[in-house]
Amino acid sequence: MSQTIVAPPAKRELPPLMRLTDAAAHQLEQLYKTAHAGQTLRIAVTTKGCSGKAYDMQFVEAASVGDEIVKDKGLTLFVDSKAVLFLIGSEMDFQQTDLSEGFVFINPNEKGRCGCGESFHV
């Protein structure tokens, strides 16, 4: 009797949790070298605003238990484990206009934003 051995399917590589644009990486690198030396940016998603969810960013001394560690362009970020499902495939950018500047998220999971732009829903 011969047996047929079936090989397990090849595992496909998961997409990165988050990516940084060059502009975001440059700005974050400057912050890590100056005002937030010794700290790491931690990203979470909170319940807030008209649409229900908002990005929360804080500089922290260490990761919280369960945080995902994201490394991109030579930089490290922490992502709250409860935010992972909301952020998979997102890109963080840094944008400057005549009246404002800041980090923004290009998130394929967003289904819409409130009118003021402060919150989103999935």
Side-chain angles (χ1 to χ4, degrees):
M1 243 197 256
S2 68
Q3 287 185 338
T4 303
I5 299 174
V6 178
K11 289 188 177 185
R12 63 185 176 114
E13 190 172 321
L14 295 173
L17 172 57
M18 283 187 62
R19 293 187 184 138
L20 299 172
T21 64
D22 289 340
H26 175 74
Q27 183 66 24
L28 192 55
E29 183 177 31
Q30 296 308 308
L31 290 168
Y32 282 174
K33 287 180 180 177
T34 57
H36 296 284
Q39 296 180 314
T40 303
L41 182 63
R42 182 174 189 268
I43 301 170
V45 173
T46 61
T47 302
K48 181 179 174 182
C50 315
S51 287
K53 302 285 180 204
Y55 301 104
D56 179 51
M57 296 185 290
Q58 297 178 18
F59 286 95
V60 297
E61 302 293 327
S64 295
V65 174
D67 279 358
E68 293 286 329
I69 298 172
V70 173
K71 293 181 184 266
D72 190 26
K73 296 184 173 43
L75 299 167
T76 301
L77 307 166
F78 302 139
V79 176
D80 180 359
S81 61
K82 293 180 219 115
V84 169
L85 289 176
F86 299 111
L87 294 173
I88 291 174
S90 294
E91 185 175 60
M92 189 170 87
D93 192 15
F94 183 78
Q95 296 179 354
Q96 293 178 291
T97 66
D98 290 339
L99 300 174
S100 68
E101 67 178 31
F103 289 107
V104 296
F105 290 87
I106 298 101
N107 186 341
N109 305 301
E110 285 185 19
K111 300 297 183 228
R113 288 190 155 259
C114 68
C116 64
E118 291 295 318
S119 61
F120 67 97
H121 66 272
V122 291

